[in-house]
């Protein structure tokens, strides 16, 4: 077992002191410099205020990620991004010029982007299933692009409606091309009805992080949290709404 030594105290491994190797440091030098340069690469966009993951309603960063996924998947209608918490985004974007290192810190994983085709009814079930997870504090609400969600309470149950950005309701039988990260595909299987055909998916050779960095490079300019707001409309707390309909 290797214990981490406090600052200023020599590290030990199996009771013996750990001695820094000049040869190893020299061998790693070029790679460390490459990493430093990669992290410092500018993305051409400037955050006018911090873009935060958000513990619940409309995390600006989750919606930003969703916008990037929507843009990179051909003919996508909707994109599901990440929320805060387990399995989601790991850091906010600070105010100021953004770099590739900022994108990496927000999502340091190598998940790829997946394209799926499903109906409005199927997507409604997937979105509805995220609401109780947020109520319980287990996961932040997912980021959205190309979509707005309204949740109203009827007899303490959640009635979920999906709307286009124009305000037009998404039809139950309407086919939708949905962009998402590969690690969120399981949400569809978890909400499938008995006997329902398996949703067809295709994984693209694009990392989520690279898609976000490329989208910011292409967009450029100033961005603010207000650019990525207004995706979720939740009922007031006094409504007592805790679970989506079965």
């Amino acid at each position: 077992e290797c214990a981490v030594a406090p600052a200023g105290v020599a590290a030990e491994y199996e009771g013996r002191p750990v001695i820094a190797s000049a040869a190893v440091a020299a061998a790693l030098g070029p790679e460390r410099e490459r990493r430093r340069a990669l992290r410092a690469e500018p993305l051409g966009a400037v955050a006018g205020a911090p873009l935060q993951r958000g513990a619940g309603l409309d995390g600006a960063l989750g919606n930003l990620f969703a916008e990037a996924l929507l843009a990179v998947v051909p003919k996508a209608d909707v994109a599901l991004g990440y929320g805060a918490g387990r399995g989601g985004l790991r850091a906010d974007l600070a105010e100021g010029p953004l770099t590739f290192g900022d994108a990496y810190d927000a999502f340091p994983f190598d998940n790829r982007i997946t394209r799926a085709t499903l109906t409005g009814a199927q997507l409604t079930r997937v979105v509805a299933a995220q609401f109780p997870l947020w109520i319980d504090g287990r996961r932040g609400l997912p980021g959205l692009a190309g979509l707005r969600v309204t949740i109203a309470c009827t007899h303490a149950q959640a009635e979920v409606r999906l709307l286009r950005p124009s305000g037009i309701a998404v039809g139950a039988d309407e086919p939708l091309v949905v962009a998402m990260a590969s690690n969120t595909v399981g949400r569809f299987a978890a909400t499938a009805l008995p006997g329902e055909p398996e949703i067809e998916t295709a994984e693209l050779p694009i990392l989520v992080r690279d898609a976000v960095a490329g989208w910011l490079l292409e967009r450029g300019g100033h961005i603010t949290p207000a650019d990525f707001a207004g995706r979720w409309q939740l009922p007031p707390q006094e409504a007592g709404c805790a679970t989506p309909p079965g």
Side-chain angles (χ1 to χ4, degrees):
E1 183 178 354
C2 183
V4 177
V9 178
E12 291 187 353
Y13 178 72
E14 294 186 348
R16 303 175 65 180
V18 176
I19 301 173
S21 168
V24 171
L28 291 177
E31 182 59 26
R32 294 177 66 180
E33 178 57 29
R34 188 193 70 83
R35 173 183 175 275
R36 185 205 63 76
L38 179 61
R39 286 189 57 86
E41 284 188 5
L43 296 181
V46 179
L51 281 91
Q52 299 178 326
R53 292 162 285 174
L57 180 62
D58 271 345
L61 187 56
N63 293 337
L64 183 154
F65 266 64
E67 290 287 355
L69 300 188
L70 182 66
V72 80
V73 173
K75 299 182 179 180
D77 299 294
V78 173
L80 297 181
Y82 293 97
R86 184 175 180 181
L89 301 171
R90 289 297 189 264
D92 300 332
L93 293 183
E95 181 177 353
L98 300 177
T99 67
F100 183 82
D102 296 323
Y104 185 93
D105 292 340
F107 194 73
F109 310 109
D110 288 341
N111 294 109
R112 296 175 181 242
I113 296 175
T114 296
R115 179 186 186 275
T117 302
L118 60 161
T119 65
Q122 290 171 318
L123 183 58
T124 298
R125 293 202 304 269
V126 172
V127 172
Q130 309 313 305
F131 186 57
L133 298 176
W134 172 71
I135 290 287
D136 295 342
R138 285 180 283 170
R139 180 184 297 159
L141 293 173
L144 301 171
L147 188 69
R148 290 195 289 115
V149 176
T150 66
I151 300 179
C153 279
T154 304
H155 305 298
Q157 284 194 323
E159 179 183 346
V160 178
R161 294 184 66 218
L162 306 186
L163 306 173
R164 298 282 191 174
S166 63
I168 297 175
V170 174
D173 297 326
E174 185 177 347
L176 299 167
V177 175
V178 182
M180 77 208 85
S182 57
N183 62 324
T184 63
V185 174
R187 297 179 186 180
F188 297 129
T191 60
L193 297 178
E196 191 172 54
E198 184 177 347
I199 294 173
E200 293 185 8
T201 62
E203 188 173 279
L204 308 182
I206 308 170
L207 298 183
V208 171
R209 179 177 58 250
D210 291 344
V212 172
W215 182 78
L216 286 169
L217 270 170
E218 183 175 345
R219 188 181 193 279
H222 279 71
I223 58 176
T224 68
D227 297 329
F228 308 99
R231 313 295 169 87
W232 288 86
Q233 182 179 340
L234 302 185
Q237 290 184 346
E238 58 267 22
C241 190
T243 58

